[in-house]
Amino acid sequence: MAGLPWIDDLYLDVAGLFGPGWQPRHLLLLDGDELAGAVAGGELTAAQSAAIYARAEQVMAALNAHTYAPLLAVRAYLQSGAALG
C-alpha cells in the first residue's frame, strides 16, 4: 500500500476510507478466510479466532470514535509536516 499508512497485523485486517476531518466513511474487515483457514489447519483454536474477531471489532469501534491511538499517531505525524521533509 505505497503511500498509505498501515499497521501490521495477523490474520484479520481492518481497512478504512476516511473523509474530511478524518471521519471514517467505510471500514472493512478483511481476510476472514485466512483466519478460518488457520483454525481449520489447527494453527489457532476457535477461542483464539473469537478473540481475534472481538479485537477487530474493538479497533473498528475505536476508529469510529476517533480514539484509536495508532491512527491518532499517524494523523499527528502527517499533520506535523514531518512526512514531507
Side-chain angles (χ1 to χ4, degrees):
M1 299 173 94
L4 297 175
W6 60 277
I7 298 166
D8 199 16
D9 71 302
L10 298 174
Y11 300 109
L12 291 181
D13 295 312
V14 175
L17 297 174
F18 293 81
W22 292 72
Q23 193 65 30
R25 291 189 176 192
H26 301 285
L27 294 177
L28 303 168
L29 188 57
L30 307 172
D31 298 332
D33 57 333
E34 290 180 15
L35 182 55
V39 173
E43 297 170 52
L44 295 172
T45 66
Q48 289 170 317
S49 175
I52 291 168
Y53 269 107
R55 179 62 183 142
E57 291 295 330
Q58 291 172 346
V59 167
M60 292 173 77
L63 287 168
N64 279 318
H66 301 279
T67 59
Y68 187 60
L71 184 61
L72 296 175
V74 168
R75 180 180 176 178
Y77 173 75
L78 292 173
Q79 290 177 331
S80 75
L84 301 175

